[in-house]
Amino acid sequence: MKIFKQLFIIFAIIISAKFNSFGQANPFINVLPSNSGIVTTGGFIDIVVTIGNTGPVSAVPQAKLRPIIQVPASVAFLPTPQQTGLPAGWTILTNTTGTQLRLCNSTDAIPVNTSRTIILKVQGVTVAPAQTFSGNINFGNGTTCAAGTSVAGDQTTDNSALSTIEVVAGCTLGVTATAGTILCNGDLTNITCNVTNPPTLPNGPVEYNISGSTNWQTSNVFTVPAGNYTITARDSSNPIACITNTNIVITEPSAL
């Protein structure tokens, strides 16, 4: 009798384990800004939101995810008609304050080991150091995207994600380039770079680069043979957001 009782307990445990694993789904979220998280005032940047399902058994049903993305007041989400980076079956539920946007997988069920990429656009508003922004998964009712309960198997530790965004002053830096004349085939000449609206102190000096070289220099003169060159200028204290370029072609006489 004791053996039968033990077998019954084991059988019950197995059945319970199978029942508990049925319908298991685990949604997750990640957020990452483009351009290293740096945007100028008046400029635009993408926030890339990745939402997926690690399973292990079931898809996340449609209308079940209501993720909310919140950004600091130094930036603002563009209006809903300009948010064109949503995958098929996703909708924007709210986008009213400029700093908060809520989505829903209205008609898009997410299978196991599958993810969706959502690109949201924000604009720089006021200069601010790197600040945290967040993405958080909330849950819908599986029908109308109204608030609902979680899914079986959800692990709350990956229902939220953080990253940073920094707003810097707008960049009006411009650059032009002029070159001397090559009189003899095979000779060299100088390219001289000239900038407009250079940064003012306490910003750093302007740096120059020629045709994608890995070396940047503060000298605005390059000595080169004939060729087609791209001259790039940047503010050394703000090299990602304040950068511009121009092209110049240098010719030479034909060889005799």
Side-chain angles (χ1 to χ4, degrees):
M1 187 71 180
K2 185 176 182 181
I3 294 177
F4 284 113
K5 185 176 181 180
Q6 290 174 337
L7 290 174
F8 177 79
I9 293 173
I10 293 172
F11 177 77
I13 292 173
I14 292 173
I15 293 299
S16 176
K18 287 184 177 181
F19 177 80
N20 289 332
S21 65
F22 179 77
Q24 298 267 311
N26 178 49
F28 68 86
I29 186 170
N30 287 311
V31 291
L32 185 68
S34 62
N35 199 43
S36 301
I38 297 176
V39 61
T40 59
T41 53
F44 304 95
I45 193 173
D46 291 339
I47 291 179
V48 181
V49 182
T50 303
I51 296 178
N53 173 23
T54 60
V57 176
S58 299
V60 176
Q62 65 182 38
K64 195 63 180 174
L65 300 179
R66 286 164 38 98
I68 186 168
I69 314 301
Q70 300 185 84
V71 295
S74 57
V75 298
F77 284 109
L78 297 190
T80 296
Q82 298 178 46
Q83 299 292 350
T84 58
L86 274 65
W90 285 75
T91 54
I92 293 176
L93 298 182
T94 57
N95 179 15
T96 57
T97 67
T99 60
Q100 186 181 99
L101 189 149
R102 186 184 292 279
L103 303 152
C104 182
N105 66 327
S106 303
T107 60
D108 179 30
I110 304 179
V112 175
N113 296 326
T114 303
S115 63
R116 303 289 188 256
T117 299
I118 303 163
I119 298 177
L120 304 175
K121 293 188 176 297
V122 298
Q123 183 174 24
V125 177
T126 56
V127 173
Q131 294 178 297
T132 299
F133 71 91
S134 64
N136 294 277
I137 292 179
N138 298 300
F139 293 93
N141 60 8
T143 304
T144 64
C145 287
T149 58
S150 181
V151 295
D154 177 51
Q155 301 175 27
T156 59
T157 54
D158 53 10
N159 284 356
S160 61
L162 300 174
S163 193
T164 60
I165 195 165
E166 177 181 358
V167 182
V168 298
C171 178
T172 57
L173 180 68
V175 64
T176 60
T178 57
T181 301
I182 297 180
L183 300 177
C184 297
N185 184 272
D187 281 356
L188 305 177
T189 190
N190 288 337
I191 295 176
T192 302
C193 309
N194 300 286
V195 296
T196 56
N197 299 313
T200 57
L201 294 177
N203 292 342
V206 174
E207 295 179 324
Y208 302 90
N209 177 291
I210 186 166
S211 294
S213 168
T214 57
N215 297 317
W216 291 86
Q217 63 182 54
T218 55
S219 170
N220 67 332
V221 177
F222 295 92
T223 301
V224 296
N228 190 343
Y229 297 96
T230 298
I231 305 298
T232 303
R234 71 180 186 183
D235 175 0
S236 62
S237 65
N238 187 14
I240 295 177
C242 195
I243 189 167
T244 187
N245 60 66
T246 188
N247 294 319
I248 187 169
V249 178
I250 302 172
T251 60
E252 63 182 343
S254 300
L256 298 177

